């Protein structure tokens, strides 16, 4: 067997040649860059990456990335990605979508995907508005807030995605900021490397419809000391990684700490809130179907099954 | 005396285990070379409500049930007299009135039933002490004080007593029972056999079984037939077709198929996922299909109502699947969860927004189900679209003998596939790849692989993640050959034509005998038109009337989309007289036929009480149609 020199992919190898129609200054550009940087850092073969997205501005992300891309249905990205991942475990699966997509119409799938702990990374573009339909309140906008695109104040409260992910069972839970793509890339690298379901909730600016949570707001431009409204957990002695997954007390403590941090409103913590190594859905499936431990489902020959014994048993 | 032709029924509260004895009885008959058609009726309830299992046995092929029962076994009073005494609106009137002249009723002497005032002095009554029989058997093995724990053995008492009446060898039933309890549980089997024997002996000792006119005799050299349930055949067809992946959400009457497959995971490398709802089920299945595996799901009406967006998704993204078996049940909404109806034909034909291609087929019996489910996977991959196989509660739950289960069309066809990075669609298809200037994205001289290439026949060879150089994008938006979003006028039209054009290809490719069937004489005085599960009942009813000299033909519509309009129209126009048979309220196939062929069938036999047609109902309805010269449109609402 001849061994060829390993290919080294760079960020440009993940850039698709397609006109981008996001608004000027959209936070999505930062997320796109962050994803491409992470893929390059991990040196993943574009032919072995499958990106799944929901519907909305964020749903267009896979079109701008050179990899297999599936722009699916509103709210259903996780089931589609789950089917994809189960069919071919040799492919790296990334799912992405907006906060309305993931925490509103897709909330049921968000929760149930956490229960499975399948190995994928879910990137949520959290910008508090439905952008593509012109700025209605999304599920993360707090009660009483009103963006310039809304006729009235929000009369529903926002959900807490981090706390929801903790309760649902995600085993890697992090938050990043869209306009810090390098930091986001670092988080994404860890999320993709993590074995299990990873949520990366990305605070994203919508310059067109969200005049509350702007770049300037996150930077604290209005504050007297001009101090950022974000801070990095790891810079403040926080460590959300469970050292002993067999230690239920440690798991509960770390989960509680993650939830407590997730309610901090100003400044907002970014970084890894919680991480634990637990058996994945794939591990469980491989127990049931030993052949899957050898090769992905798509490569298993299912076309020479002998069903005669099943029929014979019916005599 | 009537030999080898009877209907046996056992009724009792849900949870009392009537299935076990009915299925043992059916199996012992099938193994002895007799034909069996058995069906169960039960409530959407776990314990207590009335359920019954009917087993029709014959030397000839039987494909439906009869109205009259020759041996009725009652585990409770309600089975005989209905629930009128404790319900404001009775749901049924019991089965006593269904017992045929000269037939017999075996009942538990503990249920407080007195045959004296039933007005049925034309039938035999056999009071059997069920619990006492069980107790006696337990005493034989030193467990006489534990009788209450073995109440479920009443079924076995019923079985033993029945066999005594029809002079059927107990040995044949014992073999079936012992075969079901092997290894550690063999003691359970032994005890059941003991109970059956005591019940058998009790009837022989206390009653004149010779006088009972319905007898069963095993064949000397019995033909080995399969005795199968519909959902098992569906599941085995999926295995045979190489299905890798099945998703489901629990729903009656579709769940059994998925649970059957779940049991086969280790042996057959099929991955079965129980999802959080049907939206998840269909979308997982679509995701898996795009990833290159043969994927499937199964549901019933309420679940299908949730799945529909996934059908459109699969179709516009040209996913090679999934195959969806839709087990219809009584609608609308939650409707009649455990009862039969053919109410979802129009829904399956138009499940989601927009015009998109998909295949809908409606096999009429288990052999057709086996073939169509197998073929569905080939069609899904060759034409890259979702395929719906319409079944129903009746086909899912019937337990019937099948001579052979074979595939006439048995080749696996995985369609056209991208084969490598040097490959171009131009070379592979030998025709123009892209219409020039499709909204600025199309380039006439493209040489790289394009997943949604505008080929002449509309089929673009498919790829999947993991294949080097086969990268593509797929989107539920309208898209260009790369799979990127477009709203361009030319590209939109080209893509619609590409996708919709596949229906014509399919119509030409699917063998005619999988599209429709005609049974009976060419010069029929009446042509019955139907689809799906009434097929067997129609054939049985036609056979009965043929013996009376009536010439009835039967046009069975099977492929519903694309619909074989020309051929079907020719048959309809040639027919002397037409009559539609459907188990729904509005005559949905009638609507399809009128839309597709312009022919309006005036005479309609419809049933929507949640129970399938019996042979007798159709014999009566056909006779009615034949005898009357109706000037007005006639709807015969059976029951």
């Amino acid at each position: 067997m001849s061994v060829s020199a390993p290919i080294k992919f760079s960020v440009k190898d993940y850039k698709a040649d397609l006109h981008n129609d996001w608004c000027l200054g959209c936070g999505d550009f930062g997320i796109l860059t962050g994803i491409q940087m992470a893929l390059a850092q991990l040196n993943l073969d574009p032919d072995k990456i499958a990106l799944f997205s929901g519907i909305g501005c964020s749903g267009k992300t896979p079109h701008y990335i050179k990899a297999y891309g599936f722009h699916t249905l509103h709210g259903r990205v996780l089931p589609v990605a789950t089917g994809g991942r189960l069919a071919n475990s040799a492919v790296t699966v990334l799912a992405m979508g907006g906060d309305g997509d993931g925490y509103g119409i897709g909330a049921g799938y968000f929760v149930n995907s956490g229960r499975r702990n399948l190995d994928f990374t879910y990137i949520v573009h959290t910008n508090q508005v439905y952008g593509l339909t012109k700025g209605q309140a999304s599920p993360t906008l707090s009660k009483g807030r009103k963006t310039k695109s809304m006729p009235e104040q929000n009369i529903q409260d926002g959900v807490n995605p981090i706390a929801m992910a903790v309760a649902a069972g995600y085993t890697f839970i992090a938050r990043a900021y869209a306009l810090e793509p390098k930091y986001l890339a670092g988080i994404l690298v860890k999320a993709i490397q993590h074995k299990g379901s990873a949520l990366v909730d990305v605070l994203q600016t919508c310059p067109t419809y969200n005049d509350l949570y702007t770049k300037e707001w996150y930077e604290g431009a209005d504050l007297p000391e001009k101090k950022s409204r974000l801070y990095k957990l790891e810079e403040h002695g926080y460590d959300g990684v469970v050292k002993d997954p067999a230690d239920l007390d440690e798991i509960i403590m770390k989960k509680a700490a993650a939830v407590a941090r997730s309610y901090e409103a100003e400044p907002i913590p970014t970084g890894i809130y919680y991480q634990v190594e637990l058996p994945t859905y794939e591990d469980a499936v491989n127990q049931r179907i030993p052949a899957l431990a050898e090769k992905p489902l798509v490569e298993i020959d299912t076309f020479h099954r002998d069903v005669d014994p099943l029929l014979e048993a019916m005599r | 005396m009537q030999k080898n032709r009877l209907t046996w029924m056992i009724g009792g509260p849900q949870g009392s285990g009537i299935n076990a004895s009915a299925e043992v009885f059916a199996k012992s008959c099938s193994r002895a070379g007799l034909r069996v058609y058995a069906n169960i009726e039960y409530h959407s309830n776990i314990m207590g409500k009335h359920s019954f299992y009917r087993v029709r046995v014959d030397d000839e092929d039987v494909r439906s049930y009869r109205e009259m029962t020759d041996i009725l076994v009652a585990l409770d009073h309600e089975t005989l007299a209905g629930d009128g005494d404790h319900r404001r609106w009775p749901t049924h009137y019991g089965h006593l009135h269904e017992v045929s002249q000269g037939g017999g009723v075996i009942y538990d002497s503990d249920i407080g039933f007195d045959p004296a005032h039933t007005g049925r002095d034309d039938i035999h009554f056999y009071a059997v002490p069920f619990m006492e029989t069980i107790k006696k058997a337990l005493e034989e093995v030193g467990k006489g004080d534990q009788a209450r724990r073995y109440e479920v053995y009443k079924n076995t008492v019923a079985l033993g007593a029945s066999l005594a009446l029809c002079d059927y060898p107990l040995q044949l039933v014992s073999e079936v029972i012992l075969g079901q309890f092997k290894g550690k549980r063999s003691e359970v089997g032994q005890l059941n056999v003991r109970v059956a024997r005591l019940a058998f002996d009790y009837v022989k000792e206390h009653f004149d079984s010779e006088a009972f006119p319905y007898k069963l005799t095993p064949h000397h050299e019995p033909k080995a037939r399969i005795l199968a349930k519909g959902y098992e055949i569906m599941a085995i067809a999926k295995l045979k077709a190489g299905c890798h992946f099945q998703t489901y959400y629990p729903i009656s009457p579709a769940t059994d198929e998925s649970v059957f497959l779940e049991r086969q995971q280790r042996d057959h490398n099929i991955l079965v996922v129980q999802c959080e709802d049907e939206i998840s089920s269909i979308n997982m299945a679509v995701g898996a299909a795009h990833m290159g595996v043969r994927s499937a799901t199964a549901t019933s009406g309420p679940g299908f109502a949730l799945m529909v967006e996934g059908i459109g998704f699969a179709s516009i993204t040209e996913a090679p699947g999934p195959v969806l078996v839709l087990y219809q049940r009584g609608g609308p909404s939650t409707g009649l969860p455990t009862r039969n109806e053919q109410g979802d034909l129009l829904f399956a034909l138009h499940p989601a927004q927009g015009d998109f291609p998909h295949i809908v087929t409606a096999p009429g019996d288990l052999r057709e189900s086996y073939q169509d489910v197998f073929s569905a996977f080939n069609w899904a991959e060759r034409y890259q679209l979702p395929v719906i196989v319409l079944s129903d509660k009746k086909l899912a739950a019937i337990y019937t003998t099948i001579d052979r289960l074979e595939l006439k069309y048995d080749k696996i066809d995985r369609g056209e596939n991208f084969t490598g990075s040097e490959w171009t669609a131009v070379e592979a298809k030998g025709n123009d790849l892209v219409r020039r200037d499709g909204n600025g994205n199309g380039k006439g001289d493209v040489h790289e692989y394009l997943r949604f290439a505008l080929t002449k026949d509309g089929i673009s060879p498919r790829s999947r993640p993991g294949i080097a150089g086969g990268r593509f994008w797929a989107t539920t938006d309208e898209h260009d050959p790369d799979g990127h979003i477009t709203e361009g006028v030319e590209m939109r039209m080209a893509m619609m034509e590409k996708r919709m054009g596949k229906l014509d290809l399919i119509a030409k490719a699917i063998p005619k005998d999988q599209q429709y069937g005609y049974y009976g004489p060419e010069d029929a005085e009446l042509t019955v038109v139907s689809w799906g599960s009434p097929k067997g009942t129609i054939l049985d009813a036609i056979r009965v009337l043929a013996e009376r000299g009536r010439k009835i033909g039967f046009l069975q519509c099977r492929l519903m989309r694309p619909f074989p309009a020309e051929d079907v129209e020719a048959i309809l126009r040639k027919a002397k007289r037409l009559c539609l048979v459907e188990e729904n309220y509005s005559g949905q196939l009638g609507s399809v036929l009128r839309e597709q062929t312009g022919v309006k069938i005036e005479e309609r036999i419809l049933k929507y009480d949640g129970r399938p047609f019996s042979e007798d109902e159709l014999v009566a309805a056909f006779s009615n149609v034949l005898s009357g010269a109706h000037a007005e449109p006639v709807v015969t609402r059976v029951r």
Side-chain angles (χ1 to χ4, degrees):
Chain A
M1 199 173 107
S2 71
V3 180
S4 53
I7 301 165
K8 180 74 192 116
F9 295 103
S10 68
V11 171
K12 69 169 177 21
D13 291 317
Y14 302 98
K15 287 188 176 170
D17 173 25
L18 182 72
H19 170 74
N20 191 312
D21 66 1
W22 285 331
C23 305
L24 202 66
C26 178
D28 284 345
F29 285 104
I31 300 176
L32 174 61
T33 305
I35 295 170
Q36 288 162 334
M37 287 167 71
L39 297 176
Q41 282 175 39
L42 290 163
N43 201 37
L44 294 172
D45 180 349
D47 287 333
K48 292 180 179 146
I49 302 168
L51 308 172
F52 295 85
S53 65
I55 294 296
C57 297
S58 59
K60 295 177 179 176
T61 309
H63 290 283
Y64 305 128
I65 300 172
K66 223 185 239 181
Y68 281 93
F70 298 92
H71 180 191
T72 70
L73 293 171
H74 197 34
R76 319 304 177 212
V77 58
L78 290 181
V80 184
T82 298
R85 169 73 194 165
L86 289 171
N88 191 348
S89 55
V91 166
T92 301
V93 168
L94 267 66
M96 58 204 71
D99 48 349
D101 201 289
Y103 309 141
I105 187 170
Y109 313 107
F110 178 73
V111 170
N112 283 287
S113 298
R115 289 171 53 212
R116 286 188 197 100
N117 197 31
L118 193 73
D119 190 1
F120 65 75
T121 300
Y122 183 31
I123 303 159
V124 181
H125 303 223
T126 294
N127 63 5
Q128 297 89 17
V129 290
Y130 285 89
L132 208 48
T133 51
K134 303 197 191 305
Q136 297 75 30
S138 87
T140 55
L141 188 69
S142 306
K143 196 169 179 174
R145 304 310 307 267
K146 177 187 168 313
T147 64
K148 65 179 179 186
S149 54
M150 294 162 59
E152 299 272 5
Q153 283 183 0
N154 189 16
I155 57 168
Q156 305 179 79
D157 213 343
V159 296
N160 179 334
I162 303 289
M164 204 155 71
V166 168
Y170 283 81
T171 50
F172 181 103
I173 303 164
R175 177 168 262 165
Y177 176 48
L179 302 187
E180 288 177 356
K182 237 174 146 170
Y183 184 70
L184 168 61
I187 296 275
L188 286 175
V189 165
K190 288 184 178 145
I192 295 167
Q193 283 174 331
H194 172 74
K195 290 254 170 294
S197 291
L199 168 72
V200 181
D201 181 77
V202 188
L203 303 170
Q204 177 230 329
T205 52
C206 175
T208 306
Y209 296 114
N210 190 340
D211 56 337
L212 300 174
Y213 302 100
T214 59
K215 176 172 181 283
E216 292 71 27
W217 184 86
Y218 281 113
E219 286 170 356
D222 56 317
L223 297 174
E225 67 275 32
K226 310 247 184 272
K227 196 167 169 282
S228 169
R229 284 191 168 96
L230 300 166
Y231 80 92
K232 294 183 172 62
L233 284 164
E234 66 277 13
E235 289 174 3
H236 289 74
Y238 180 89
D239 181 4
V241 182
V242 174
K243 301 289 174 297
D244 178 8
D247 183 352
L248 197 60
D249 289 338
E250 189 194 356
I251 287 182
I252 293 169
M253 210 179 67
K254 292 263 159 85
K255 280 191 168 186
V259 170
R261 293 276 176 164
S262 73
Y263 281 100
E264 291 180 5
E266 273 192 54
I268 303 167
T270 57
I272 298 168
Y273 278 70
Y274 178 74
Q275 185 178 8
V276 63
E277 287 277 343
L278 290 175
T280 60
Y281 193 79
E282 290 91 328
D283 292 332
V285 161
N286 293 355
Q287 292 281 319
R288 284 189 183 181
I289 307 173
L292 277 176
E294 308 295 320
K295 51 178 151 177
L297 189 60
V298 70
E299 283 167 23
I300 292 179
D301 178 2
T302 53
F303 298 100
H304 297 88
R305 286 177 180 141
D306 182 9
V307 299
D308 288 346
L310 289 171
L311 295 172
E312 277 308 310
M314 292 175 186
R315 291 200 192 278
Chain B
M1 206 183 78
Q2 186 162 301
K3 194 185 134 194
N4 288 354
R5 175 163 294 176
L6 66 80
T7 292
W8 177 87
M9 182 196 285
I10 182 165
Q14 201 116 286
S16 61
I18 60 164
N19 306 44
S21 57
E23 287 169 15
V24 166
F25 178 57
K27 193 161 225 175
S28 73
C29 293
S30 173
R31 281 191 184 165
L34 298 160
R35 305 266 194 173
V36 173
Y37 178 94
N39 71 317
I40 185 166
E41 286 292 348
Y42 59 102
H43 280 82
S44 179
N45 154 263
I46 294 174
M47 297 289 264
K49 284 200 176 173
H50 175 63
S51 59
F52 65 90
Y53 211 132
R54 187 161 30 198
V55 184
R56 181 179 180 186
V57 185
D58 207 303
D59 276 334
E60 269 188 76
D61 196 5
V62 276
R63 298 150 290 195
S64 59
Y65 74 92
R66 297 289 311 271
E67 285 292 296
M68 302 308 275
T69 294
D70 306 309
I71 302 176
L72 171 64
V73 185
L75 296 186
D76 61 358
H77 198 271
E78 183 176 331
T79 296
L80 296 162
D83 57 2
D85 56 344
H86 62 272
R87 283 186 72 115
R88 186 176 177 198
W89 312 105
T91 58
H92 71 115
Y93 302 97
H95 302 282
L96 190 58
H97 67 281
E98 295 168 1
V99 178
S100 58
Q101 268 192 14
V105 176
I106 297 168
Y107 65 97
D108 185 349
S109 49
D110 293 339
I111 62 173
F113 171 70
D114 181 6
H117 307 293
T118 56
R120 292 295 315 256
D121 48 11
D122 58 334
I123 60 178
H124 305 272
F125 288 94
Y126 306 97
V128 177
F130 279 46
M131 279 316 289
E132 217 181 290
T133 310
I134 295 168
K135 209 171 158 210
K136 209 169 158 192
L138 286 165
E139 275 162 7
E140 288 180 9
V141 295
K143 291 183 179 174
D145 52 337
Q146 298 176 30
R148 278 290 143 214
R149 284 178 51 201
Y150 291 87
E151 222 184 308
V152 73
Y153 283 53
K154 281 179 179 174
N155 281 288
T156 314
V157 177
L159 199 51
S162 306
L163 300 180
L165 284 188
C166 48
D167 290 338
Y168 195 65
L170 189 60
Q171 178 63 22
L172 292 173
V173 165
S174 303
E175 279 166 17
V176 176
I177 293 174
L178 294 175
Q180 287 179 348
F181 297 97
K182 284 182 178 158
K184 273 190 203 158
R185 298 173 71 217
S186 64
E187 234 175 83
V188 180
Q190 301 284 1
L191 190 56
N192 269 289
V193 169
R194 202 176 278 276
V195 170
R197 180 178 46 75
L198 287 171
F200 188 94
D201 293 347
Y202 183 90
V203 170
K204 286 284 180 200
E205 279 166 30
H206 292 80
F207 304 106
D208 175 16
S209 67
E210 296 299 311
F212 187 72
Y214 298 93
K215 302 295 179 196
L216 286 180
T217 311
H219 290 194
H220 283 304
E221 283 174 14
K223 201 172 162 207
R225 294 194 180 95
I226 296 165
L227 179 62
K229 291 191 185 138
Y231 71 81
E232 295 172 333
I233 298 303
M234 293 288 191
I236 293 171
K238 285 184 173 179
L239 290 173
K240 183 88 181 159
C243 175
H244 298 86
F245 189 70
Q246 164 109 347
T247 60
Y248 79 104
Y249 182 81
I251 186 168
S252 298
T255 317
D256 291 336
E257 180 200 298
S258 296
V259 174
F260 182 96
L261 288 173
E262 229 165 357
R263 293 206 178 93
Q264 307 304 324
Q265 287 189 103
R266 185 175 292 267
D267 288 347
H268 291 292
N269 298 329
I270 180 169
L271 177 53
V272 180
V273 181
Q274 183 188 327
C275 302
E276 53 270 36
D277 61 27
E278 287 89 348
I279 298 175
S280 180
S281 298
I282 187 83
N283 282 297
M284 264 192 214
V286 175
H290 267 305
M291 199 65 91
V293 302
R294 286 203 152 182
S295 107
T297 186
T299 190
S300 185
F304 187 63
L306 293 185
M307 287 186 174
V308 295
E309 62 175 2
I311 303 287
F313 166 28
S315 191
I316 194 174
T317 58
E318 303 200 51
V323 170
L324 187 162
V325 179
L326 172 52
Y327 293 95
Q328 300 164 97
R329 69 188 212 190
S333 193
T334 309
L336 298 167
T338 60
R339 311 290 177 177
N340 197 56
E341 192 164 272
Q342 295 185 285
D344 299 341
L345 173 58
L346 294 178
F347 184 29
L349 287 172
H350 303 280
Q353 71 272 25
D355 280 319
F356 59 87
H358 70 312
I359 295 175
V360 181
T361 186
D365 56 32
L366 301 195
R367 292 176 64 185
E368 290 177 1
S369 297
Y370 192 58
Q371 180 69 65
D372 286 358
V373 169
F374 179 89
S375 299
F377 287 89
N378 287 345
W379 301 337
E381 291 195 325
R382 169 147 297 271
Y383 304 107
Q384 302 175 27
L385 38 68
V387 181
I388 297 169
V389 180
L390 272 170
S391 185
D392 56 26
K393 182 257 166 174
K394 177 186 164 186
L395 280 185
I398 50 169
Y399 192 42
T400 189
T401 41
I402 304 169
D403 281 315
R404 293 186 304 281
L405 204 54
E406 57 183 358
L407 292 170
K408 187 170 173 192
Y409 309 104
D410 65 347
K411 295 273 179 299
I412 298 279
D413 173 16
R414 303 214 62 189
E416 293 181 44
N417 290 280
F418 168 71
T419 49
S421 55
E422 295 307 307
W423 183 96
T424 75
V426 185
E427 289 154 18
K429 305 287 288 192
N431 56 38
D432 287 340
L433 183 62
V434 185
R435 275 193 202 180
R436 239 192 137 69
D437 186 30
N439 196 31
N441 282 322
K443 301 181 187 87
D445 56 350
V446 174
H447 285 287
E448 81 262 26
Y449 168 70
L450 292 171
R451 172 66 179 83
F452 302 100
L454 289 163
T455 57
K456 260 191 190 137
D457 63 2
I459 311 276
S460 330
R462 62 194 174 93
S463 172
R464 63 166 176 86
I467 298 274
R471 254 192 339 268
F472 65 89
W473 291 270
T475 172
T476 52
D477 283 86
E478 189 55 272
H479 46 263
D480 58 30
D482 283 308
H484 287 313
I485 301 169
T486 183
E487 294 180 24
V489 169
E490 268 212 26
M491 187 58 81
R492 157 66 174 183
M493 289 173 64
M495 281 294 170
M496 281 298 282
E497 289 154 16
K498 161 189 169 37
R499 289 190 298 266
M500 295 304 289
K502 293 193 281 192
L503 288 170
D504 290 335
L505 285 183
I506 296 163
K508 287 191 192 95
I510 293 180
K512 296 242 174 182
D513 62 3
Q514 263 185 299
Q515 299 197 15
Y516 59 90
Y518 183 83
Y519 306 82
E522 290 296 318
D523 60 339
E525 52 188 319
L526 173 68
T527 300
V528 172
V529 185
S530 189
W531 64 285
S533 68
K535 177 187 174 189
T537 322
I538 292 169
L539 290 175
D540 281 356
I542 289 176
R543 183 172 61 194
V544 170
L545 289 167
E547 283 164 15
R548 300 179 197 166
R550 307 312 301 247
K551 282 186 180 172
I552 304 179
F554 168 38
L555 169 62
Q556 180 205 359
C557 294
R558 181 160 158 195
L559 183 65
M560 296 297 177
R561 194 174 197 228
F563 193 80
E566 256 180 57
D567 291 10
V568 167
E569 186 181 345
I571 296 170
L572 294 177
R573 300 244 181 241
K574 229 172 61 188
K576 287 184 188 146
R577 185 167 191 171
L578 292 169
C579 159
L580 187 72
V581 172
E582 294 189 64
E583 283 165 11
N584 58 44
Y585 182 87
S586 61
Q588 298 191 9
L589 175 65
S591 304
V592 172
L593 291 172
R594 199 163 182 203
E595 174 194 319
Q596 295 284 341
T597 68
V599 176
K600 185 184 179 197
I601 302 181
E602 302 281 354
E603 200 104 38
R604 299 187 293 162
I605 298 167
L606 304 175
K607 193 179 190 213
Y608 46 87
D609 62 3
R611 277 70 171 171
F613 286 112
S614 68
E615 177 188 297
D616 309 83
E617 282 173 332
L618 285 188
V619 167
F622 294 165
S623 307
N624 211 22
V625 172
L626 285 166
S627 64
H630 302 288
E632 297 294 317
V634 172
V635 179
T636 306
R637 302 208 188 273
V638 173
R639 285 223 180 195

